[in-house]
Amino acid sequence: DIQMTQSPSTLSASAGDSVTITCRANQTIDPWLAWYQQKPGKAPNLLIKRASILDDGVPTRFSGSGSGTEFTLTISSLQPDDFATYYCQQYDNYYPGTFGQGTKVELK
Amino acid sequence: EVQLVQSGAEVKKPGESLKISCEASGYPFTAYWIGWVRQTPEKGLEWMGIIYPDDSDTRYSPSFQGQVTISVDRSIRTAYLQWSSLKASDTAIYYCARARSVYDSPGVFAYWGQGTLVTVSS
């Protein structure tokens, strides 16, 4: 099974900060990596697919990068609306996807 | 507008059966895989499986193979997630979801239902 490990589990930051979340896979998954944002009581919202492609309507302050087994999500200039939990997900055509355990971005 | 509307919250006892639904609208139902995702506080998000409504081709995560059944009814544009014997550990929020485009991998989810809370308790 492909395992996904996110770090950190919690990230304290202020509005305006730039933050980076890391996701590591236990085997190569390039480029089948997605990032989601989830707010309490809501379904996840797809931000990035194929490691670096922003989904429709996602602000450009979100960016994704990486390859092989290590990937990052960067939020430049955090906005109040960005305080949420973020998940990475590996996926491939028809192969079971796996989510990371999540990173909560909270107000410092 | 693509919409996935799920059935309401359920409270069940261990050993009971359950079938929850996800009604799709706003797109050609048989053209897109629909997936199911479980969420618990302990384990977070878990990818359960996907189904292709056109021919009911279904792929399960090994963790959920044999534990649940995913199906569709094309006549009413609805996907289902079913248990034959619930356990307390099935208590979770369950989401149905779909990729944005037919050119995307079916396992990356841009459209989501609102979630169905399933509580299993004696």
Side-chain angles (χ1 to χ4, degrees), chain B residues 97-115:
Chain B
R98 199 210 85 176
R100 183 172 297 285
S101 162
V102 292
Y103 302 107
D104 285 330
S105 167
V108 62
F109 302 128
Y111 297 103
W112 293 71
Q114 82 276 21

Side-chain angles (χ1 to χ4, degrees), chain B residues 86-106:
Chain B
L86 286 159
K87 311 182 211 27
S89 57
D90 294 318
T91 295
I93 298 172
Y94 293 88
Y95 293 100
C96 62
R98 199 210 85 176
R100 183 172 297 285
S101 162
V102 292
Y103 302 107
D104 285 330
S105 167

